[in-house]
Amino acid sequence: MFLLVIKRIFLGLITLFIVSLITFVGVEILPGDACTTYLEREAYGAALEACYERLGLNIPSYERYISWALGVFQGDFGYSLSGEMKINDVLGPRVKNSMVLASASIFIGIPIALLLGIITALWRDKLPDIIISTITIFSMTIPEFISATLLILIVAIWLEWLPGIVIVPTGASISELLPNIILPVIAISMIMTAHMARMVRSSVIQVMASDYVQMAILKGVPYWKMVFKHVLPNALLPAINVVALTIAWLLGGVVVTEVVFNYPGLGRLVIESISNRDLPVVQALAIILASIYVTINLIADLMTLILNPRLKSLQIKK
Amino acid sequence: MENIVQKINNLTIGFTSQKGEQISILKNISTSINKGETVGIVGESGSGKSTLALAMMGYVKHGLYTISGECLYHSNNLLDMNNRDLENIRGRKIAMIPQNAGQALTPNLKIGYQIDEALKLHTDFKKEDRDKKISELLNKVRLPSPEIMAQRYPHELSGGQQQRVAVAMALAGNPEILLLDEPTTGLDVTTQAHVLELLNVIAKDTGTSMVYVSHDLGAIARVSDRVIVMYSGEIVLDGPVRGILKNPIHPYTFGLLKSIPKLTSPGLPNSMSGSQPQPGIIKSGCSFFDRCNFAEDQCKSNTPDLEYLSDIKTSVRCFKYRDLINMKETKNDKIRSLNNNILENEILNISEVSITYAKQKFLEQLLNKTEDSNPTVKDINININKGETLALVGESGSGKSTILKSIAGLLKTKDGIIKFDKDIVLSNDLKKRDPANLRAIQLIFQNPDESLNPNHTVEEIVSQPLKLYFGLSGSELKQKIIEVLDKVRLGEFYLTRYPRQLSGGEKQRVAVARAFAAKPDIILCDEVTSALDVSVQAAVLNLLQELKEDFGTTYIFVSHDLAVVRAISDRVAVLYQGRLCEIGPSKHVYELPSHPYTEVLLGAVLEPDPDIKPKLVAEDIVEEKPPEQGCSFQGRCPRILGDICKKEVPPWQMGENGNSIRCHIKVDDLKKQQTIN
Amino acid sequence: MENVEQKQKSIFQKVFEIIKTMASKPSGLIGLIILSFHVLLALTSPFYVPYDYKAIDPSLMLQAPSSEYWFGTDSLGRDVFTRTILGGRTALTVTFFGSLIALIWGGSLGIFCGLVGGKIDDVVMRIIDAFLSIPWILAMLLIVSLLGTTTIVLIPALGFFYGKGIVRVARAATHDVIAKDFIVSARARGHSNLSIIWNEILPNVRDAIMVEGAMRWSWMLLGFSSLSFLGFGVSPPTPDWGLMISNARGLMSFAYWAVLAPIFGLSSLIIGINLTADAFAKALGIDRSTKAPV
Ligand code: SF4
Ligand code: SF4
């Protein structure tokens, strides 16, 4: 058990290492480098030299990778090109803002998804299932920027219930953010919730068809007791990993949604830094987003490990 | 009529097909179960026996529905009862022991909890009493150390133990009726015999009525007082067990009994043609008409009724049962003996072979775990002559399939040499083997559903070896395919069929055809009949024997079924935990004196005859690994001598009739001891 | 010759049969109708659009829908109807060929990994995992911003990023098949690896991979239009729904029509593809609802 945990963590670290390599190499092999892309037309002569000097681009790439990676490992991403600010200072508040948005979506989305998934599975092919399933298919397929735009149009512009565009400074506190994030959270969680609900549904249906559920019925276990004791623990266990993947997928949606709502989070930073060709910031973002992904999956893996009696007994036997 | 606990009246259950037709799975079933009686329901897959058993608990599977009729428990119809009332009957009055306990126990709940749940639902015991009761129940089903058992999860138990837990769970509510749905299928021979014995004891002790559903007449014979035979959703025969097994008066049962190979009568059993029709195909007439040897014209158009014959207390659905009543002797007529032309020259020689199955894990490599000194299969020495049929028998984990795979080159041997045709050494790497040698050895697998590519037509399947080994193409190829199919009695119209359009027996014939298309010298048969229905099994065995006699092929035949092995093999090798125990001519291996393990196996065989009782001499413990030293059977041996068995590998001894036994006990002593009991 | 002809016929018949089963359920039928409508539109619309999609006329700015301008005009005075019916062409082309590329490379790598197993498989899957953990949008933006937004860049880039998931599916399907006895049997007979892949494995994993490809298509469309919404997809003045939504968004409090028309176009296409993919999966007997959207 302990070994397994270590192994998972180790694999996660390997993934991150590969990500850092990919982003680094990716930036290297694409035409142009940080200086030429940033300076664009002025990229010649002394200006270019100075830029190279400043960024240390004239030392061999593997050395640069090592010193960069070491820095990242210690939580130092270096300097951004545009503001000549420390990337850490740029990222700090943005990360916080995006976290608020994402965790709000997750905490609202997961319970709703579970509920909907279970309801649709237990009332399979009956009216509640048909209605909810149709809705989930729709909300699953509509891209975030469309639902976000529609939400703004309907709720903010036509009904004037909530602010449509977030107008807060980057360093705003959570209470300042609150009324503003309602619509973004809805937009983000829609797709995710729909996906998870569908997965929970099929997982529950699968378990309901199993021999042991039939056995529980034949044993005379009352329906709801059977659902909670025999069905859900076994159905939700495999769903954990899938939910984690969905959450990781949500990161992409966050970027788009933040742009629509003008929300000062990581997503907008992604767009800004790419428009500004600020490659060091892009690299930093890639690492951060990848570590979020890896962490979420790691948590899911560990949860499965802890909850699954099959894996638990490994320690008894060995 | 006080005695009747459950009564089924004109029950018809079915489903609506995609075309909107109503198709019946059960047709007009009427019968009743008496208090304290054990009723066996026997039928092949698709005969509707499981649907019937579930209906007796008021349960109808998703997609099926009751078309007409009722299922009464003390005059309450279970099939239109509400859930609340059903919950009070299920588990308390009628309890079920499922087919595959491994899948029927909820994986996330401890054994103790699952039994406790049943107790909580169906008794008024307090917590402490329930705990006591759990131990008591686990004790009753003879599980060791109940307190520890209760803390286990289902997957931590062996198949036999899981089945026992299921029995304990069913007994928790003290039910009036116990329904058993194939409770021993999939268990090893010895385990099966033990579980059945347990059920017999329980039936006697508690006075519960039991309904035992199975395809296995041997198991049915062991436990039941009365037998119901089902065919194609109908009851065709219903009566006392002895009468039905000794003098079956329905042609289906008659043929079925004759097609079962028996230890007592060696040679190939008679086969039955065809297979059970799919539900919905038979519209009128007797559903057995196509396969019946007694059929006459009226059977095709008129449907026979279930007729009760009070003199023998038997109901039968056949116009011509009188013909069968008068046919007293059903045993031993027309059994084919083997007629193998065994040549002197050796075709395969396996010497000192050992195989390690467990692959080393990456982590273990890191932790520097040394090489496996205790391989899964060890010290195998067998030689096979041309034209012979050698059988490898043993329970699961005996390594019989492993040996087969390494002969085929699919598994690398760790040590030892396999020689083909006297002096060709077969490499243990498949890629290094000569194509001609690959052609010479062909495999037939257990389950044709897995061994035939579902996306290929029969033509494509059979063409594979022909194209590969003989480079045939075009009309020549087609001609050859038709020829080969003809050999396995499949007509030309099968060419364009896909496996899913064939019955189990037909699929296995295609697999046989594919193997023979390569013109092999040796065919390796891996449990080739165990996925088939009983009535089809005999036909496949007969076919294999005929082909062999025609072509002089050598067979190596792996099976767990001692009766099948007895029927088809010249020589038998008995394996336990990857080590040979005994090898010799079938006739003599099946006779005493035997190796203690052979003795245990033979004792556990269930014959379809209520008068033959199995002898249970050893515990049915499941061993995960062969012992590090000494005799492989020491863990379960009833005749164990002591230290010498635990320390020293027993020597080979020649028996009187050419069978070799590997045991520390002298053959003469074995003979004395074994004849005493 | 005869043989070949028979085979081809049967493939057409199979395709026809699959489409028939797809259309037998209302959702599949609706999906098919929507999808074919969009494809038809994309193929033929240039021949009958009422106005020039790039004609700017400030005097016609932000006109409400009328009999002349069915969907009104946008902030530059261009006809929204014209631009809407043209707006799906790039998206459809790019994502169709993108999914094709994804299907091919993802499928072959997946089968390869499933087949060889062991160390190679481990390493490749690690790398795939690493790629998966970089949000697609970041990677795509980076590529596009450095290499430009031409279709030549977009198609392979999208194809690459959306093929990762197919690798997983193909690998899992191959793993399932490879344990089956018919593969063992083919190996024991001594067929070459290539012949085993072609004859035994491919026919059995084909369906799963194709369904996955169909599914990727709708997600790729989602991704592509997100890109062009962010300004990294199609360059103006080419009409594209994502771009149109992005441009009209700022003024939607005055001119909602300029936003609603492309939203309707895009949503209907995505729903159409999705319903079709769903029906396709069901017709082939594959349950797609358990898969993760990665
Ligand atoms: S009724 Fe006729 S066909 Fe049916 S079993 Fe009897 S003899 Fe055979
Ligand atoms: S050697 Fe000993 S343990 Fe082994 S079978 Fe003989 S008596 Fe039993």
Side-chain angles (χ1 to χ4, degrees):
Chain A
M1 173 84 165
F2 181 67
L3 266 179
L4 269 175
V5 174
I6 297 281
K7 198 174 156 193
R8 295 283 155 97
I9 294 177
F10 182 67
L11 287 180
L13 286 178
I14 290 191
T15 311
L16 281 184
F17 169 70
I18 302 176
V19 171
S20 74
L21 265 185
I22 295 172
T23 42
F24 194 86
V25 172
V27 169
E28 282 300 292
I29 57 168
L30 291 174
D33 54 44
C35 283
T36 50
T37 44
Y38 177 56
L39 298 170
E40 293 198 49
R41 246 162 269 153
E42 292 113 76
Y44 57 88
L48 189 62
E49 272 315 307
C51 178
Y52 276 161
E53 193 67 40
R54 193 170 37 133
L55 290 178
L57 281 185
N58 33 18
I59 53 176
S61 51
Y62 66 91
E63 274 180 39
R64 248 182 311 128
Y65 172 73
I66 292 171
S67 67
W68 176 72
L70 279 177
V72 170
F73 201 67
Q74 290 157 359
D76 176 13
F77 290 99
Y79 287 87
S80 85
L81 289 176
S82 48
E84 303 201 351
M85 283 169 76
K86 260 183 112 63
I87 292 180
N88 291 19
D89 298 340
V90 181
L91 285 175
R94 302 290 192 125
V95 170
K96 190 205 79 191
N97 289 347
S98 282
M99 282 301 206
V100 172
L101 198 58
S103 33
S105 318
I106 290 170
F107 284 119
I108 293 170
I110 290 185
I112 295 181
L114 287 181
L115 201 67
L116 293 183
I118 294 168
I119 289 176
T120 47
L122 296 185
W123 278 271
R124 182 185 176 187
D125 296 337
K126 305 247 171 67
L127 198 62
D129 177 31
I130 295 171
I131 294 173
I132 297 175
S133 288
T134 318
I135 296 174
T136 51
I137 287 190
F138 275 94
S139 69
M140 202 168 82
T141 44
I142 305 298
E144 288 93 345
F145 68 91
I146 288 189
S147 44
T149 309
L150 283 176
L151 277 173
I152 295 177
L153 183 65
I154 295 168
V155 181
I157 296 178
W158 288 351
L159 300 172
E160 295 181 15
W161 283 353
L162 288 165
I165 305 289
V166 183
I167 326 171
V168 285
T170 312
S173 69
I174 295 185
S175 59
E176 283 175 282
L177 285 172
L178 199 61
N180 291 299
I181 65 169
I182 296 178
L183 286 184
V185 165
I186 296 178
I188 292 174
S189 44
M190 252 167 74
I191 289 197
M192 180 192 75
T193 311
H195 264 293
M196 289 195 297
R198 292 255 289 178
M199 274 170 270
V200 170
R201 175 179 183 267
S202 66
S203 183
V204 171
I205 286 179
Q206 228 170 359
V207 172
M208 290 287 280
S210 71
D211 282 1
Y212 54 84
V213 168
Q214 184 185 326
M215 188 62 213
I217 296 174
L218 294 181
K219 215 162 108 183
V221 180
Y223 186 74
W224 285 107
K225 193 164 180 211
M226 174 204 78
V227 169
F228 283 106
K229 274 287 173 187
H230 295 261
V231 177
L232 293 187
N234 294 300
L236 298 185
L237 198 63
I240 293 178
N241 273 305
V242 189
V243 167
L245 285 175
T246 317
I247 293 175
W249 194 57
L250 160 150
L251 294 174
V254 172
V255 174
V256 183
T257 316
E258 285 184 4
V259 173
V260 180
F261 287 97
N262 197 35
Y263 185 87
L266 279 181
R268 241 177 62 202
L269 187 63
V270 169
I271 305 293
E272 283 162 17
S273 61
I274 286 184
S275 310
N276 297 335
R277 319 244 153 162
D278 197 339
L279 292 182
V281 176
V282 174
Q283 278 174 340
L285 282 169
I287 295 286
I288 287 181
L289 292 177
S291 9
I292 296 176
Y293 173 94
V294 169
T295 317
I296 290 175
N297 277 297
L298 192 67
I299 294 173
D301 276 355
L302 296 184
M303 267 167 74
T304 325
L305 268 182
I306 292 166
L307 295 177
N308 192 343
R310 264 168 212 272
L311 295 166
K312 240 190 278 178
S313 65
L314 279 179
Q315 80 204 57
I316 300 172
K317 272 190 186 162
K318 281 183 180 159
Chain B
M1 288 305 219
E2 292 288 285
N3 252 339
I4 293 178
V5 285
Q6 188 153 35
K7 191 162 173 47
I8 298 162
N9 290 326
N10 306 325
L11 180 63
T12 302
I13 289 181
F15 62 95
T16 309
S17 75
Q18 287 186 329
K19 288 184 197 126
E21 269 177 291
Q22 196 176 59
I23 291 172
S24 311
I25 299 273
L26 288 181
K27 292 175 221 158
N28 210 2
I29 302 282
S30 300
T31 188
S32 58
I33 311 293
N34 290 331
K35 200 170 165 52
E37 182 186 38
T38 303
V39 179
I41 302 183
V42 62
E44 294 172 284
S45 50
S47 61
K49 56 187 191 308
S50 290
T51 311
L52 176 58
L54 289 174
M56 293 171 84
M57 295 199 81
Y59 185 86
V60 180
K61 277 203 171 165
H62 194 89
L64 297 179
Y65 55 90
T66 313
I67 294 167
S68 64
E70 51 186 10
C71 185
L72 303 174
Y73 168 74
H74 289 300
S75 72
N76 301 313
N77 185 3
L78 296 172
L79 291 169
D80 57 37
M81 212 176 249
N82 65 23
N83 276 339
R84 176 81 29 97
D85 293 339
L86 274 176
E87 278 158 17
N88 283 328
I89 289 184
R90 289 172 178 166
R92 183 178 304 190
K93 303 291 183 204
I94 312 176
M96 163 81 104
I97 296 173
Q99 171 162 22
N100 188 338
Q103 279 164 24
L105 295 172
T106 309
N108 68 314
L109 300 174
K110 288 178 182 161
I111 300 299
Y113 177 86
Q114 301 199 37
I115 297 176
D116 192 39
E117 188 180 50
L119 285 172
K120 242 194 275 181
L121 287 168
H122 304 304
T123 63
D124 312 319
F125 288 137
K126 299 235 159 45
K127 177 87 184 85
E128 308 85 67
D129 294 340
R130 286 207 307 270
D131 283 346
K132 231 183 277 157
K133 187 79 188 167
I134 293 173
S135 299
E136 218 179 285
L137 283 167
L138 289 172
N139 241 330
K140 195 173 201 167
V141 295
R142 297 201 218 116
L143 281 167
S145 40
E147 284 77 20
I148 302 172
M149 237 355 128
Q151 294 304 315
R152 294 263 169 94
Y153 288 99
H155 69 272
E156 294 169 319
L157 310 184
S158 72
Q161 289 174 326
Q162 288 170 340
Q163 204 60 54
R164 280 157 199 262
V165 170
V167 175
M169 206 158 83
L171 292 177
N174 235 333
E176 211 172 338
I177 307 174
L178 260 182
L179 289 173
L180 303 103
D181 186 7
E182 301 260 11
T184 61
T185 310
L187 299 178
D188 271 328
V189 201
T190 49
T191 316
Q192 181 180 17
H194 276 278
V195 172
L196 287 177
E197 234 20 69
L198 174 71
L199 292 174
N200 268 335
V201 171
I202 286 169
K204 237 176 252 138
D205 283 4
T206 56
T208 5
S209 309
M210 291 215 257
V211 177
Y212 190 100
V213 177
S214 179
H215 71 282
D216 183 350
L217 277 167
I220 295 271
R222 276 312 303 136
V223 291
S224 16
D225 308 321
R226 205 177 104 207
V227 180
I228 295 174
V229 182
M230 298 204 43
Y231 187 78
S232 197
E234 288 173 323
I235 293 181
V236 293
L237 197 57
D238 178 347
V241 64
R242 192 156 276 107
I244 285 189
L245 294 177
K246 299 264 182 188
N247 186 13
I249 57 170
H250 188 278
Y252 168 63
T253 319
F254 182 82
L256 190 65
L257 274 164
K258 280 210 293 189
S259 65
I260 301 175
K262 295 170 198 71
L263 281 186
T264 41
S265 46
L268 283 167
N270 257 342
S271 65
M272 230 162 155
S273 61
S275 57
Q276 190 173 245
Q278 294 286 317
I281 287 181
I282 304 270
K283 299 272 191 276
S284 69
C286 174
S287 50
F288 190 57
F289 178 76
D290 286 345
R291 304 171 72 188
C292 185
N293 291 332
F294 298 80
E296 51 186 37
D297 285 347
Q298 63 158 333
C299 307
K300 194 175 169 71
S301 41
N302 301 341
T303 313
D305 288 324
L306 198 61
E307 205 173 312
Y308 183 67
L309 314 173
S310 51
D311 52 338
I312 48 172
K313 295 201 178 72
T314 302
S315 307
V316 59
R317 190 187 292 277
C318 175
F319 294 122
K320 305 199 47 185
Y321 64 86
R322 275 180 206 90
D323 293 10
L324 283 122
I325 290 185
N326 300 328
M327 263 181 31
K328 273 283 175 258
E329 191 51 36
T330 63
K331 265 206 235 154
N332 281 340
D333 55 342
K334 283 201 291 182
I335 282 181
R336 273 186 68 194
S337 56
L338 304 183
N339 190 12
N340 290 345
N341 182 15
I342 305 173
L343 303 177
E344 277 306 301
N345 50 347
E346 189 177 276
I347 190 135
L348 197 74
N349 183 314
I350 304 170
S351 70
E352 298 296 327
V353 163
S354 63
I355 307 159
T356 309
Y357 216 40
K359 260 194 203 146
Q360 277 204 320
K361 296 230 176 74
F362 182 63
L363 217 65
E364 283 170 357
Q365 277 174 357
L366 275 184
L367 297 173
N368 222 347
K369 262 209 163 170
T370 43
E371 223 198 298
D372 195 356
S373 62
N374 191 23
T376 326
V377 170
K378 201 177 165 188
D379 293 345
I380 304 296
N381 289 295
I382 301 172
N383 58 335
I384 299 141
N385 285 344
K386 195 164 172 49
E388 193 178 24
T389 300
L390 173 88
L392 305 177
V393 287
E395 292 169 293
S396 53
S398 65
K400 50 194 193 304
S401 294
T402 311
I403 297 174
L404 213 60
K405 284 206 178 96
S406 61
I407 297 174
L410 292 165
L411 258 183
K412 287 194 178 169
T413 51
K414 190 166 146 279
D415 287 312
I417 292 173
I418 301 176
K419 271 197 223 155
F420 168 67
D421 208 4
K422 285 221 179 75
D423 42 30
I424 306 170
V425 175
L426 293 177
S427 160
N428 74 358
D429 184 355
L430 191 71
K431 297 259 179 275
K432 291 196 192 119
R433 289 197 183 178
D434 192 87
N437 297 335
L438 287 173
R439 181 193 57 74
I441 302 177
Q442 293 292 315
L443 265 161
I444 305 175
F445 295 85
Q446 169 172 10
N447 189 347
D449 286 325
E450 292 233 335
S451 71
L452 304 179
N453 190 331
N455 278 301
H456 284 175
T457 57
V458 170
E459 177 175 2
E460 283 168 306
I461 290 168
V462 181
S463 75
Q464 302 273 1
L466 294 170
K467 284 198 277 195
L468 180 72
Y469 299 127
F470 308 110
L472 297 182
S473 62
S475 58
E476 207 184 344
L477 176 66
K478 190 140 189 169
Q479 201 51 49
K480 192 76 200 171
I481 296 172
I482 293 171
E483 213 173 281
V484 174
L485 283 178
D486 187 53
K487 290 254 169 55
V488 297
R489 314 246 170 67
L490 292 177
E492 213 180 311
F493 57 94
Y494 280 97
L495 285 178
T496 52
R497 302 265 178 104
Y498 285 93
R500 60 172 178 277
Q501 298 165 318
L502 308 178
S503 73
E506 287 168 337
K507 275 182 261 191
Q508 200 59 303
R509 276 165 200 272
V510 174
V512 171
R514 177 175 64 186
F516 270 96
K519 293 220 173 84
D521 298 279
I522 302 174
I523 291 188
L524 311 173
C525 305
D526 191 358
E527 299 270 11
V528 286
T529 57
S530 39
L532 302 176
D533 274 324
V534 191
S535 71
V536 177
Q537 166 176 300
V540 171
L541 285 176
N542 274 302
L543 173 73
L544 283 171
Q545 185 58 30
E546 279 162 34
L547 288 171
K548 170 191 183 101
E549 285 170 15
D550 284 358
F551 293 100
T553 326
T554 308
Y555 284 160
I556 302 181
F557 196 94
V558 159
S559 179
H560 69 280
D561 187 330
L562 280 103
V564 167
V565 163
R566 180 76 181 102
I568 198 157
S569 60
D570 301 310
R571 261 193 325 144
V572 181
V574 183
L575 288 147
Y576 186 77
Q577 291 287 346
R579 277 83 175 142
L580 279 173
C581 295
E582 179 169 358
I583 183 167
S586 321
K587 181 165 184 297
H588 302 296
V589 170
Y590 280 75
E591 274 169 6
L592 302 173
S594 292
H595 185 278
Y597 178 56
T598 319
E599 188 193 350
V600 168
L601 277 183
L602 287 174
V605 172
L606 302 167
E607 296 258 16
D609 184 337
D611 296 332
I612 302 179
K613 279 204 181 112
K615 293 191 268 307
L616 303 174
V617 272
E619 280 307 310
D620 58 330
I621 312 159
V622 174
E623 295 181 277
E624 304 226 325
K625 255 200 258 160
E628 298 277 339
Q629 47 177 324
C631 172
S632 62
F633 191 50
Q634 53 178 281
R636 289 171 63 189
C637 182
R639 304 192 181 280
I640 187 163
L641 290 178
D643 260 3
I644 185 167
C645 298
K646 294 201 172 127
K647 299 245 165 64
E648 279 172 47
V649 178
W652 278 110
Q653 308 178 50
M654 283 301 282
E656 288 160 34
N657 300 303
N659 56 332
S660 322
I661 294 173
R662 198 184 201 188
C663 179
H664 283 300
I665 306 178
K666 292 266 170 313
V667 174
D668 291 339
D669 295 342
L670 271 175
K671 192 172 184 178
K672 270 184 227 144
Q673 292 176 15
Q674 285 171 340
T675 41
I676 290 168
N677 330 6
Chain C
M1 266 323 273
E2 240 179 62
N3 232 330
V4 174
E5 249 175 43
Q6 256 180 13
K7 253 229 147 102
Q8 268 176 358
K9 211 178 187 178
S10 77
I11 285 173
F12 278 126
Q13 277 169 347
K14 261 187 207 160
V15 171
F16 182 71
E17 255 165 44
I18 289 171
I19 291 179
K20 224 171 84 181
T21 20
M22 282 164 69
S24 66
K25 288 236 175 83
S27 65
L29 186 65
I30 295 172
L32 277 172
I33 291 175
I34 297 178
L35 181 59
S36 17
F37 172 75
H38 273 287
V39 171
L40 247 156
L41 203 65
L43 291 174
T44 60
S45 55
F47 302 111
Y48 49 73
V49 286
Y51 298 94
D52 180 4
Y53 68 87
K54 52 183 190 296
I56 296 173
D57 186 347
S59 65
L60 291 172
M61 226 168 77
L62 296 180
Q63 300 238 340
S66 62
S67 57
E68 213 169 325
Y69 301 103
W70 292 355
F71 290 177
T73 60
D74 67 5
S75 56
L76 296 173
R78 298 175 293 196
D79 177 37
V80 176
F81 178 71
T82 305
R83 292 179 62 78
T84 303
I85 61 172
L86 288 171
R89 302 186 74 215
T90 326
L92 257 178
T93 332
V94 167
T95 52
F96 179 76
F97 287 105
S99 342
L100 220 57
I101 290 181
L103 202 66
I104 292 166
W105 88 262
S108 28
L109 185 62
I111 292 177
F112 171 77
C113 282
L115 196 62
V116 295
K119 294 265 154 58
I120 302 176
D121 179 36
D122 278 352
V123 171
V124 174
M125 287 322 285
R126 268 299 110 203
I127 295 177
I128 297 280
D129 253 0
F131 269 113
L132 276 178
S133 61
I134 310 174
W136 61 270
I137 199 147
L138 185 71
M140 281 304 301
L141 289 174
L142 191 63
I143 294 179
V144 168
S145 70
L146 291 169
L147 294 179
T149 57
T150 51
T151 22
I152 302 300
V153 174
L154 281 170
I155 291 176
L158 283 169
F160 177 70
F161 273 97
Y162 283 81
K164 293 177 305 192
I166 299 183
V167 176
R168 285 187 160 273
V169 172
R171 174 174 171 271
T174 310
H175 256 306
D176 284 351
V177 172
I178 213 155
K180 292 271 166 70
D181 279 343
F182 61 85
I183 305 278
V184 178
S185 153
R187 279 207 297 137
R189 277 199 302 272
H191 285 283
S192 68
N193 280 344
L194 220 61
S195 124
I196 291 181
I197 295 177
W198 188 252
N199 284 320
E200 311 284 344
I201 297 178
L202 209 58
N204 289 295
V205 299
R206 194 184 48 207
D207 289 358
I209 295 178
M210 276 183 356
V211 164
E212 194 61 23
M215 223 150 116
R216 296 286 140 186
W217 190 11
S218 82
W219 287 341
M220 196 184 283
L221 189 64
L222 211 145
F224 172 80
S225 34
S226 299
L227 275 183
S228 66
F229 173 82
L230 294 174
F232 293 90
V234 183
S235 17
T238 313
D240 180 83
W241 293 327
L243 199 58
M244 288 165 72
I245 296 171
S246 160
N247 288 339
R249 198 167 55 94
L251 295 164
M252 69 182 163
S253 37
F254 318 110
Y256 58 87
W257 53 86
V259 143
L260 285 186
I263 282 184
F264 179 73
L266 183 51
S267 312
S268 65
L269 176 56
I270 292 186
I271 289 172
I273 293 182
N274 236 290
L275 290 178
T276 312
D278 236 1
F280 184 53
K282 285 210 184 97
L284 292 178
I286 290 167
D287 181 14
R288 56 169 281 197
S289 55
T290 46
K291 307 256 170 62
V294 278

